[in-house]
């Protein structure tokens, strides 16, 4: 029987929010698993969502070691079949422990082996066999803006993946967040995290939560406004961002997803 546990390998995944980080602790960094799954286009969206909801209600929501969870769906990405499962854990050890708890919860939720197999056969039919796994660690050193409100409306989740220069120089990320990111009213939540285990050690990820795509556009204008008011002197502004840019190669990618509030933890 192939359950989501086996699909994720070591973990179900540290994921999104949480909302990625509804449950992140400020004192210590947390670990985040992100598993990119791919929807089979044969199944109906409402049936897929109902099946995910049942799994969430009976398993994920009851696993106390998963302190945050999100299921992110394609909005503006290069693959409309993408579904990103995000799970958040207090520490590395809890990733594997949570997987074992999931197995126990699955057996309790579907005690009849035949019924259990039928459910996961249906569950797996909504996805192709292809998936990828990554584990990240939150960057509490540069700050985060935790999501505080509760909403039944799907949120826009913009994930920017930057490439770290890995040269050990560059600073100002914390100052930028304190003066700009955290003063932007359109950014409802912000979570930075970097590679811990996976295919690319240079990955630096930032997750931004917005109420709407229109607010995301307004946010860009607000950030420009805040930058100009914070560093009105062009020479000071150039010096600040030249130093900030040393942390990165300049290469980045952008992906926009939507979350499903009823599948958020």
């Amino acid at each position: 029987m192939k359950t989501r546990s086996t699909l994720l390998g070591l973990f179900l995944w540290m994921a999104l929010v949480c909302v990625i980080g509804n449950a992140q602790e400020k004192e210590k960094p947390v670990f985040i698993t992100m598993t990119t799954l791919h929807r089979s286009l044969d199944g109906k969206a409402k049936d897929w969502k109902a099946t995910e909801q049942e799994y969430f209600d009976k398993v994920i929501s009851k696993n106390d070691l998963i302190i945050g969870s999100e299921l992110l769906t394609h909005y503006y990405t290069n693959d409309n079949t993408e579904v990103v499962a995000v799970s958040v854990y207090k520490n590395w050890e809890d990733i594997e422990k949570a997987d074992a708890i999931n197995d126990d919860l699955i057996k309790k939720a579907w005690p009849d082996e035949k019924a259990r197999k039928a459910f996961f056969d249906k569950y797996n039919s909504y996805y192709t066999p292809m998936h990828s796994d990554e584990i990240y660690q939150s960057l509490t050193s540069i700050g985060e803006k935790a999501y505080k409100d509760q909403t039944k409306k799907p949120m826009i989740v913009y994930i920017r993946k930057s490439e770290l220069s890995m040269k050990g120089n560059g600073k100002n990320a914390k100052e930028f967040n304190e003066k700009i990111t955290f003063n932007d009213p359109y950014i409802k939540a912000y979570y930075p995290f970097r590679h811990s285990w996976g295919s690319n050690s240079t990955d630096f990820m930032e997750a931004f939560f917005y109420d709407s795509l229109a607010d995301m556009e307004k946010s860009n204008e607000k950030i420009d406004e805040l930058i100009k008011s914070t560093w009105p002197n062009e020479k000071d502004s150039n010096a600040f961002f030249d130093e900030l840019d040393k942390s990165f190669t300049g290469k980045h990618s952008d992906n926009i997803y939507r979350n499903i509030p009823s599948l958020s933890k």
Side-chain angles (χ1 to χ4, degrees):
M1 176 187 68
K2 183 168 67 173
T3 68
R4 183 191 277 186
S5 297
T6 56
L7 282 173
L8 306 187
L10 292 175
F11 42 79
L12 179 64
W13 181 59
M14 153 191 163
L16 278 272
V17 242
C18 34
V19 169
I20 286 182
N22 266 350
Q24 287 190 3
E25 293 181 351
K26 293 183 179 180
E27 297 79 10
K28 297 180 180 179
V30 295
F31 286 89
I32 303 161
T33 64
M34 296 180 72
T35 293
T36 301
L37 304 164
H38 295 273
R39 284 277 313 277
S40 169
L41 298 179
D42 295 334
K44 294 181 180 180
K46 66 176 182 179
D47 296 332
W48 161 76
K49 184 179 177 182
T51 304
E52 282 287 1
Q53 189 68 58
E54 183 177 357
Y55 183 81
F56 177 85
D57 293 342
K58 294 181 177 179
V59 181
I60 302 301
S61 66
K62 295 182 178 181
N63 190 334
D64 292 337
L65 292 187
I66 300 176
I67 61 174
S69 180
E70 286 288 347
L71 201 65
L72 306 179
T73 60
H74 157 87
Y75 196 55
Y76 281 103
T77 72
N78 64 356
D79 186 347
N80 70 321
T81 70
E82 277 189 346
V83 175
V84 182
V86 180
S87 298
V88 184
Y89 306 88
K90 287 184 178 180
N91 53 59
W92 181 277
E93 292 76 14
D94 281 356
I95 296 174
E96 190 168 0
K97 291 177 182 177
D99 205 37
I101 292 174
N102 282 344
D103 289 340
D104 289 339
L105 289 168
I106 286 169
K107 292 175 182 177
K108 291 178 181 177
W110 296 276
D112 180 79
E113 186 175 353
K114 186 176 180 180
R116 185 163 67 243
K117 183 179 184 303
F119 175 82
F120 284 104
D121 283 346
K122 178 177 67 172
Y123 181 96
N124 290 322
S125 71
Y126 294 117
Y127 295 101
T128 70
M130 182 176 65
H131 76 279
S132 62
D133 303 312
E134 303 284 344
I135 302 179
Y136 300 94
Q137 186 173 18
S138 63
L139 285 174
T140 55
S141 60
I142 64 174
E144 69 176 28
K145 186 175 184 179
Y147 189 73
K148 297 179 179 180
D149 300 325
Q150 296 294 326
T151 177
K152 295 182 179 180
K153 181 182 177 182
M155 296 191 73
I156 296 296
V157 183
Y158 162 48
I159 297 182
R160 180 168 62 210
K161 180 191 291 186
S162 301
E163 189 175 82
L164 293 169
S165 66
M166 307 296 282
K167 294 179 180 179
N169 55 5
K171 53 185 180 180
N172 292 347
K174 181 178 181 181
E175 183 178 353
F176 180 85
N177 283 335
E178 290 174 345
K179 293 181 176 179
I180 307 300
T181 306
F182 303 153
N183 289 313
D184 181 345
Y186 299 106
I187 298 175
K188 299 303 181 182
Y190 167 80
Y191 302 101
F193 44 103
R194 65 154 303 170
H195 166 273
S196 184
W197 181 90
S199 59
N200 192 338
S201 62
T202 70
D203 281 352
F204 170 69
M205 312 280 281
E206 296 169 281
F208 301 81
F209 286 76
Y210 304 91
D211 284 334
S212 66
L213 199 60
D215 278 1
M216 183 176 171
E217 186 173 358
K218 292 176 184 177
S219 173
N220 292 331
E221 298 174 358
K222 184 63 177 179
I223 286 174
D224 287 341
E225 176 188 316
L226 288 167
I227 288 173
K228 290 176 182 177
S229 62
T230 303
W231 296 282
N233 183 288
E234 185 176 356
K235 185 177 180 180
D236 293 339
S237 178
N238 289 339
F240 179 87
F241 286 101
D242 285 346
E243 184 62 33
L244 176 62
D245 290 343
K246 290 179 182 178
S247 299
F248 308 98
T249 65
K251 181 180 179 180
H252 80 277
S253 62
D254 305 299
N255 288 287
I256 302 176
Y257 302 92
R258 280 188 293 194
N259 75 338
I260 301 175
S262 64
L263 298 178
S264 294
K265 180 179 179 181

